[in-house]
């Protein structure tokens, strides 16, 4: 089964380009100054379309998580079991990502994690989080 890859477009390209460069970039609203994720052409707080891209530290804590023990798509069947978490970045926003380099049974709320980048294809690098 082939990998499931993101659709890269003009709105999210700076995020994916940053990942290829080994940096995590998020949008900052030019009107209300909110640092935000998920990526959007419009600020969910004030509806402004003014934005810039900011590199963030990639330091985070697990806010909540789930352990997948069943492959809902054949593309992930070789990874069972695996943990997917909502992590709270040191800068504030929440990001959804999988947790790697950790036994899923050891993932805990409050666990410190750090972003890492895994090349899925020559064109797509995926941000993931590993224990810090």
């Amino acid at each position: 089964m082939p990998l499931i890859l993101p659709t890269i477009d003009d709105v999210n390209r700076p995020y994916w380009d940053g990942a290829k460069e080994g940096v995590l970039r998020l949008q900052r609203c030019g009107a209300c100054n909110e640092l935000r994720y998920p990526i959007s052409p419009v600020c969910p707080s004030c509806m402004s379309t003014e934005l810039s891209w900011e590199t963030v530290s990639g330091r985070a804590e697990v806010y909540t998580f789930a352990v997948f023990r069943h492959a809902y798509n054949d593309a992930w069947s070789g990874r069972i079991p695996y943990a997917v978490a909502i992590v709270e970045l040191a800068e504030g926003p929440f990001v959804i990502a999988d947790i790697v380099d950790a036994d899923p049974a050891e993932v805990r709320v409050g666990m410190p994690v750090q972003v890492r980048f895994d090349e899925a294809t020559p064109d797509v690098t995926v941000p993931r989080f590993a224990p810090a």
Side-chain angles (χ1 to χ4, degrees), residues 2 6 14 16 19 21 23 26-27 44 47 50 52 59 61 64 69 85 87 91 94-96 104 118 121 129-130:
W16 294 107
E21 297 165 12
V23 296
L26 299 182
Q27 294 174 316
M47 304 307 287
E50 298 176 42
S52 60
R59 291 186 317 274
E61 283 189 0
T64 190
R69 292 174 171 45
V87 300
E91 295 83 0
F94 293 90
V95 175
I96 300 171
D118 293 335
T121 71
F129 285 81

Side-chain angles (χ1 to χ4, degrees), residues 6 56 62 91 105 115 129:
V56 296
V62 173
E91 295 83 0
V115 72
F129 285 81

Side-chain angles (χ1 to χ4, degrees), residues 67 69 102-108:
V67 175
R69 292 174 171 45
D103 181 334
E106 296 176 2
V107 175
R108 298 282 179 259

Side-chain angles (χ1 to χ4, degrees), residues 43-71:
C43 176
S45 295
C46 73
M47 304 307 287
S48 172
T49 57
E50 298 176 42
L51 68 93
S52 60
W53 287 90
E54 185 174 311
T55 298
V56 296
S57 68
R59 291 186 317 274
E61 283 189 0
V62 173
Y63 180 77
T64 190
F65 69 96
V67 175
F68 287 80
R69 292 174 171 45
H70 175 78

Side-chain angles (χ1 to χ4, degrees), residues 64-82:
T64 190
F65 69 96
V67 175
F68 287 80
R69 292 174 171 45
H70 175 78
Y72 294 95
N73 185 293
D74 289 341
W76 286 288
S77 62
R79 299 182 56 213
I80 298 299
Y82 64 94

